[in-house]
Amino acid sequence: MFCKEVTESCTTTSMDSDLATSSGELGSSNYRKADPGLGGNPGRPSNNDVHDLLECPVCMNLMYPPIYQCPSGHTLCSNCKVRVHNCCPACRHELGNIRCLALEKVAESLELPCRYQILGCHDIFPYYSKLKHEKNCKYRPYNCPYAGADCSVTGDIPFLVTHLKNDHKVDMHDGCSFSHRYVKSNPHEVGNATWMLTVFNCFGRQFCLHFEAFLLGLAPVYMAFLRFMGDEDEAKQFSYSLEVGRNGRKLTWQGIPRSIRDSHKKVRDSQDGLIIQRNLALLFSGGDKQELKLKISGRIWKE
């Protein structure tokens, strides 16, 4: 059975990009033995043309099960099967649900480099172990930690520090102790958009201090917390404390900074930081309680 003409263009979405690997990643590089627990092996990738057969003719990414084929033997990935409306882009035959089990089996013999090899990862992995590794590869780019907009910028830490300073105009400070004053003219207007970000350079590393107002259920609160610009293992090497108070009253928090691998929203929603109820925040502000004036002090130390 032949299909009707399909004019819809097929493009790779960002989600597909996370689940697929371009055959361009198979170029020459320096490789090393991967962690045995992840299934990596020493040497160079298989020196054959099997990977050409595994390249989807539509999105040009390497295919992972289920791999489909038409009655004429043309193959394509499961994502593109939906995009072409179950119609083979090569011969126009209807695809159906025929799996190419032989090609899926052959793929098990392949060894491929990590997609982040240009960022420093030189491990190679069996075909079906590669995606699992890449989801947690320590060389994968970081997301921009700026919380005020849906910023899609990714990169290494030096790049993101420059990006925060130049593009988001974030204040940068040196030192492991700090004291910041937060002022809001109408503290009764509490919304998720009220927030601030400051970056500190301490022990040669960077830390993001977040402060914001939001609704915790129906209760308006203020929250301050610290995120580390690096991986979780490194973040655990540091501790920090935050303090706010006035007129003999004091509220303190001590914890471990969260890695920016955890999104700003994830940290905030877990309430992993100094939380100040609005009535208490106004008490700390003094005066007639018509203006928020909070002074938050803190320090960072290495364990």
mmCIF file of all heavy atoms in Angstrom, residues 70 95 126 132 189 192 204 270:
data_model
loop_
_atom_site.group_PDB
_atom_site.id
_atom_site.type_symbol
_atom_site.label_atom_id
_atom_site.label_comp_id
_atom_site.label_asym_id
_atom_site.label_seq_id
_atom_site.Cartn_x
_atom_site.Cartn_y
_atom_site.Cartn_z
ATOM 1 N N CYS A 70 10.037 -0.324 6.632
ATOM 2 C CA CYS A 70 8.921 -0.512 5.718
ATOM 3 C C CYS A 70 9.061 -1.870 5.032
ATOM 4 O O CYS A 70 10.092 -2.539 5.178
ATOM 5 C CB CYS A 70 8.887 0.623 4.688
ATOM 6 S SG CYS A 70 10.165 0.471 3.411
ATOM 7 N N LEU A 95 4.309 2.199 6.531
ATOM 8 C CA LEU A 95 5.296 1.575 7.419
ATOM 9 C C LEU A 95 4.711 0.437 8.246
ATOM 10 O O LEU A 95 5.346 -0.592 8.438
ATOM 11 C CB LEU A 95 5.881 2.636 8.356
ATOM 12 C CG LEU A 95 6.899 3.597 7.725
ATOM 13 C CD1 LEU A 95 7.138 4.776 8.638
ATOM 14 C CD2 LEU A 95 8.196 2.868 7.449
ATOM 15 N N PRO A 126 29.160 1.125 25.128
ATOM 16 C CA PRO A 126 28.307 0.308 24.267
ATOM 17 C C PRO A 126 27.089 1.127 23.847
ATOM 18 O O PRO A 126 26.617 1.999 24.583
ATOM 19 C CB PRO A 126 27.910 -0.866 25.167
ATOM 20 C CG PRO A 126 29.018 -0.954 26.172
ATOM 21 C CD PRO A 126 29.448 0.466 26.411
ATOM 22 N N LYS A 132 22.317 6.520 28.926
ATOM 23 C CA LYS A 132 22.267 6.525 30.383
ATOM 24 C C LYS A 132 23.423 7.326 30.955
ATOM 25 O O LYS A 132 23.252 8.110 31.908
ATOM 26 C CB LYS A 132 22.298 5.090 30.918
ATOM 27 C CG LYS A 132 22.235 4.990 32.436
ATOM 28 C CD LYS A 132 22.257 3.540 32.891
ATOM 29 C CE LYS A 132 22.220 3.445 34.412
ATOM 30 N NZ LYS A 132 22.263 2.031 34.877
ATOM 31 N N GLU A 189 2.197 43.289 48.461
ATOM 32 C CA GLU A 189 2.121 42.738 47.114
ATOM 33 C C GLU A 189 3.163 41.636 46.983
ATOM 34 O O GLU A 189 4.314 41.883 46.641
ATOM 35 C CB GLU A 189 2.362 43.827 46.062
ATOM 36 C CG GLU A 189 1.270 44.880 46.017
ATOM 37 C CD GLU A 189 1.555 45.919 44.951
ATOM 38 O OE1 GLU A 189 2.626 45.837 44.294
ATOM 39 O OE2 GLU A 189 0.730 46.832 44.774
ATOM 40 N N ASN A 192 5.212 35.767 42.737
ATOM 41 C CA ASN A 192 6.353 34.940 42.375
ATOM 42 C C ASN A 192 7.419 35.693 41.585
ATOM 43 O O ASN A 192 8.504 35.189 41.356
ATOM 44 C CB ASN A 192 5.872 33.742 41.559
ATOM 45 C CG ASN A 192 5.089 32.770 42.416
ATOM 46 O OD1 ASN A 192 5.370 32.629 43.597
ATOM 47 N ND2 ASN A 192 4.099 32.118 41.833
ATOM 48 N N GLY A 204 37.535 30.623 45.251
ATOM 49 C CA GLY A 204 37.751 30.419 43.827
ATOM 50 C C GLY A 204 36.572 29.795 43.105
ATOM 51 O O GLY A 204 36.680 29.437 41.934
ATOM 52 N N SER A 270 11.329 22.919 47.490
ATOM 53 C CA SER A 270 11.722 21.995 48.568
ATOM 54 C C SER A 270 11.914 22.722 49.894
ATOM 55 O O SER A 270 12.179 22.100 50.919
ATOM 56 C CB SER A 270 13.021 21.270 48.185
ATOM 57 O OG SER A 270 14.112 22.178 48.163
#
